[in-house]
Amino acid sequence: QFFWMGSYGVGITRSMAAVIEQYHDEKGIIWPLSIAPYHVMITLINDRDETQRALAEKIYNELREKGVEVLFDDRKERPGIKFNDRDLIGIPLRVTVGKKAGEGMVEYSTRKEMENVNLSLSELYAQIEKELKEYWWKKSEIFSDFFDIYTRIHWKILIHPFRENEKGQKRIVGKREFKRKNERRKKD
């Protein structure tokens, strides 16, 4: 005899729990860039050091201006507590502003590899941009693969998802235009 089961569907909290189940280690969560609450976490080691604070705030503001989602930890806590919390939260890209702030150097690491590298500000911005571009490139490849499959399955709705208009702007082709396009093809 079959059993009956009720379900409310896949909710956001169930999805997050499934992701955490797949992406974690003994120290905490390792968020993938695609669903991370923030992309970068900046940890300020000594909140009383004006050089460190100024550099951390500069990095924070410049990344925010570039559209990067940034979390800034400037709490009055010991560095060990901040590092432990940082590992537990699992933000993918990590920047530590510490003793070398006077030289314009910071420590950079990813939550996944956890290998610290000393970088200048220009190298830091280039590295973060590289990581985010790789993520968006992979995401766009996945999206285009999905869209190719979708258009093959639903070829009556869309044959070509985007078309440039006379101004060079891309826009979505609707059903009506598709019908007209197909009628012209049949006549030829």
Side-chain angles (χ1 to χ4, degrees):
Q1 187 177 23
F2 293 104
F3 61 91
W4 292 89
M5 184 180 114
S7 175
Y8 296 109
V10 178
I12 190 74
T13 54
R14 290 180 187 161
S15 300
M16 291 297 146
V19 168
I20 292 169
E21 184 66 33
Q22 290 296 311
Y23 297 97
H24 73 281
D25 62 11
E26 65 279 351
K27 293 184 178 187
I29 303 168
I30 305 172
W31 287 112
L33 270 170
S34 56
I35 61 169
Y38 297 94
H39 297 134
V40 177
M41 181 163 189
I42 300 172
T43 306
L44 176 63
I45 298 298
N46 185 356
D47 64 315
R48 286 177 251 128
D49 186 328
E50 287 304 317
T51 307
Q52 289 182 23
R53 177 170 290 285
L55 183 62
E57 287 177 356
K58 177 182 177 182
I59 294 168
Y60 175 79
N61 291 326
E62 288 183 10
L63 288 175
R64 295 256 324 183
E65 286 173 11
K66 294 179 180 186
V68 178
E69 296 171 352
V70 185
L71 182 62
F72 184 18
D73 186 358
D74 62 347
R75 297 176 295 161
K76 295 178 191 284
E77 292 286 350
R78 296 186 321 269
I81 292 173
K82 291 181 181 183
F83 293 154
N84 190 41
D85 290 347
R86 179 174 76 176
D87 290 343
L88 184 65
I89 294 170
I91 306 301
L93 308 177
R94 310 174 328 169
V95 177
T96 306
V97 180
K99 293 178 183 178
K100 295 186 178 182
E103 303 167 25
M105 301 290 286
V106 296
E107 283 184 7
Y108 170 82
S109 65
T110 62
R111 173 61 178 92
K112 193 173 183 180
E113 281 85 29
M114 296 178 67
E115 295 175 15
N116 291 333
V117 179
N118 289 323
L119 300 174
S120 67
L121 286 187
S122 60
E123 293 170 332
L124 172 69
Y125 296 139
Q127 183 64 34
I128 290 173
E129 186 176 331
K130 178 185 163 214
E131 294 279 350
L132 293 175
K133 277 184 180 177
E134 284 177 14
Y135 156 68
W136 286 112
W137 183 258
K138 287 177 189 173
K139 186 175 182 179
S140 67
E141 285 177 351
I142 291 167
F143 177 76
S144 67
D145 290 346
F146 167 78
F147 213 83
D148 289 344
I149 293 166
Y150 179 83
T151 53
R152 274 188 243 129
I153 292 170
H154 296 89
W155 64 272
K156 289 183 179 178
I157 298 170
L158 299 173
I159 191 113
H160 192 279
F162 299 103
R163 188 179 80 198
E164 286 188 15
N165 63 12
E166 60 278 351
K167 295 178 184 174
Q169 300 165 327
K170 293 200 182 238
R171 60 188 194 82
I172 296 175
V173 178
K175 288 182 187 179
R176 182 178 290 164
E177 292 178 49
F178 172 77
K179 287 179 183 175
R180 280 191 244 141
K181 190 187 273 186
N182 268 354
E183 287 170 6
R184 280 186 245 134
R185 284 186 188 158
K186 288 177 184 175
K187 289 178 186 177
D188 296 337

